[in-house]
Amino acid sequence: MAERDFVVDTARSVVADLAPDELALFEPVSRAYLRDPKKVLSDRDRPGAVLGSGIDIAIALLSPVALGVATAVYEHLLDKTGEALVERGGKLFKRLRRPKDAPEITADQLDGLRALAIERAKELGVADDLAEKVGDAVRTTLEREL
């Protein structure tokens, strides 16, 4: 459940920052994404395919991209947490179980996550300038939340 919450909350925040008019469609898109991420991401090129409702603006939605980027960021954080767990012999796991003592993410790590978000957005076919904005929104969201 933590993955689902992180992905949806992070993506919703990105959409709220960059395309607030999409928030009304975010919930159905996120539900479809959680059921079948590959289908939602691949259907971005077909009008109405994301929601199956014939809405022609579906190809312009940022929501699927934000969800795909948030998933990539979550997986990266999970990988890094696993690496740290192995390196520290379980100490990090104990800290993660107690939210008050959760490790903080450094500015350099946030910059790396921003770069990852930009790269993933570009992989999903987003123009460079929008990919930069997505990366900035992801970084801002992570700064606020973590």
Side-chain angles (χ1 to χ4, degrees), residues 24-113:
L25 296 174
F26 182 80
E27 291 305 318
V29 172
S30 65
R31 281 194 304 272
Y33 178 86
L34 292 171
R35 277 192 308 272
D36 192 350
K38 290 179 184 177
K39 180 175 179 359
V40 171
L41 293 173
S42 67
D43 283 350
R44 289 183 62 244
D45 297 330
R46 293 190 356 231
V50 172
L51 300 176
S53 64
I55 298 174
D56 289 339
I57 61 166
I59 59 168
L61 288 179
L62 180 63
S63 298
V65 172
L67 289 158
V69 167
T71 298
V73 168
Y74 179 84
E75 289 170 354
H76 181 77
L77 287 170
L78 192 62
D79 288 346
K80 290 299 176 190
T81 301
E83 288 173 17
L85 180 63
V86 171
E87 288 173 11
R88 295 181 185 173
K91 292 179 187 173
L92 181 62
F93 179 71
K94 291 176 187 171
R95 289 176 65 190
L96 288 174
R97 293 183 68 202
R98 293 179 290 163
K100 295 177 193 169
D101 297 332
E104 292 186 25
I105 293 181
T106 66
D108 287 342
Q109 291 168 326
L110 285 170
D111 289 341
L113 292 169

Side-chain angles (χ1 to χ4, degrees), residues 6 9-10 13-14 17 73 77 103-114 133-146:
F6 178 90
D9 291 347
T10 301
S13 181
V14 169
D17 287 349
V73 168
L77 287 170
E104 292 186 25
I105 293 181
T106 66
D108 287 342
Q109 291 168 326
L110 285 170
D111 289 341
L113 292 169
R114 177 187 176 275
K133 290 177 183 176
V134 168
D136 291 341
V138 166
R139 188 184 198 291
T140 300
T141 297
L142 294 176
E143 278 180 317
R144 258 193 323 252
E145 301 298 323
L146 297 178

